[in-house]
Coordinates of all heavy atoms in Angstrom, one line a residue:
K198 N -5.2 16.8 0.7 CA -5.6 15.7 -0.1 C -4.8 14.4 0.2 O -3.6 14.5 0.5 CB -5.4 16.0 -1.6 CG -6.4 17.1 -2.1 CD -7.8 16.7 -2.1 CE -8.7 17.8 -2.6 NZ -10.1 17.3 -2.7
V199 N -5.4 13.3 0.1 CA -4.7 12.0 0.3 C -4.9 11.1 -0.9 O -6.0 10.9 -1.4 CB -5.4 11.3 1.6 CG1 -4.7 9.9 1.8 CG2 -5.2 12.1 2.8
Y200 N -3.7 10.6 -1.3 CA -3.8 9.6 -2.4 C -3.4 8.3 -1.9 O -2.4 8.1 -1.1 CB -2.8 10.0 -3.6 CG -2.8 9.0 -4.7 CD1 -3.8 9.0 -5.6 CD2 -1.8 8.0 -4.7 CE1 -3.9 8.0 -6.6 CE2 -1.9 7.1 -5.8 CZ -2.9 7.1 -6.7 OH -2.9 6.1 -7.7
Q201 N -4.1 7.2 -2.2 CA -3.8 5.9 -1.7 C -3.9 4.9 -2.9 O -4.9 4.8 -3.6 CB -4.7 5.5 -0.6 CG -4.3 4.3 0.2 CD -5.1 4.2 1.5 OE1 -6.3 3.9 1.5 NE2 -4.4 4.3 2.6
P208 N -5.7 4.1 -8.5 CA -6.7 5.0 -8.9 C -6.1 6.3 -9.5 O -5.0 6.7 -9.2 CB -7.5 5.3 -7.6 CG -6.5 5.1 -6.5 CD -5.6 4.0 -7.0
A209 N -6.9 6.9 -10.4 CA -6.5 8.2 -11.0 C -7.2 9.4 -10.3 O -7.7 10.3 -10.9 CB -6.8 8.2 -12.5
A210 N -7.4 9.2 -9.0 CA -8.1 10.3 -8.2 C -7.6 10.1 -6.7 O -7.1 9.1 -6.3 CB -9.6 10.1 -8.3
F211 N -7.8 11.2 -6.0 CA -7.6 11.2 -4.5 C -8.7 10.3 -3.8 O -9.7 9.9 -4.4 CB -7.5 12.6 -4.0 CG -6.4 13.4 -4.5 CD1 -6.6 14.4 -5.4 CD2 -5.1 13.1 -4.1 CE1 -5.5 15.2 -5.9 CE2 -4.0 13.8 -4.6 CZ -4.2 14.9 -5.5
V212 N -8.4 10.1 -2.5 CA -9.4 9.2 -1.8 C -10.8 9.8 -1.8 O -11.8 9.0 -1.9 CB -8.9 9.1 -0.3 CG1 -9.9 8.4 0.5 CG2 -7.6 8.3 -0.3
D213 N -10.9 11.1 -1.8 CA -12.3 11.7 -1.9 C -12.9 11.7 -3.3 O -14.0 12.3 -3.4 CB -12.3 13.1 -1.2 CG -11.4 14.1 -2.1 OD1 -10.9 13.7 -3.1 OD2 -11.2 15.2 -1.6
G214 N -12.2 11.2 -4.2 CA -12.8 11.1 -5.6 C -12.4 12.3 -6.5 O -12.6 12.3 -7.7
S215 N -11.8 13.3 -5.9 CA -11.4 14.5 -6.7 C -10.1 14.2 -7.4 O -9.3 13.3 -7.1 CB -11.2 15.7 -5.8 OG -10.2 15.5 -4.9
K216 N -9.8 15.1 -8.5 CA -8.6 14.9 -9.2 C -7.7 16.2 -9.2 O -6.7 16.2 -9.8 CB -8.9 14.6 -10.7 CG -9.6 13.2 -10.9 CD -9.6 12.9 -12.4 CE -10.2 11.5 -12.5 NZ -10.2 11.0 -14.0
N217 N -8.1 17.1 -8.3 CA -7.3 18.3 -8.1 C -7.3 18.7 -6.7 O -7.7 17.9 -5.8 CB -7.8 19.5 -9.0 CG -9.2 19.9 -8.7 OD1 -9.7 19.6 -7.6 ND2 -9.8 20.6 -9.6
G219 N -9.0 20.7 -4.8 CA -10.2 21.0 -4.0 C -10.8 22.3 -4.5 O -10.8 22.6 -5.7
I229 N -4.0 15.1 -10.7 CA -3.6 13.7 -11.0 C -3.9 13.5 -12.5 O -4.9 13.8 -13.0 CB -4.4 12.7 -10.2 CG1 -4.0 12.8 -8.7 CG2 -4.1 11.3 -10.6 CD1 -4.7 11.9 -7.8

Side-chain angles (χ1 to χ4, degrees):
K198 293 291 177 176
V199 177
Y200 179 80
Q201 192 166 67
F211 294 109
V212 170
D213 63 4
S215 64
K216 294 190 175 185
N217 62 16
I229 294 179

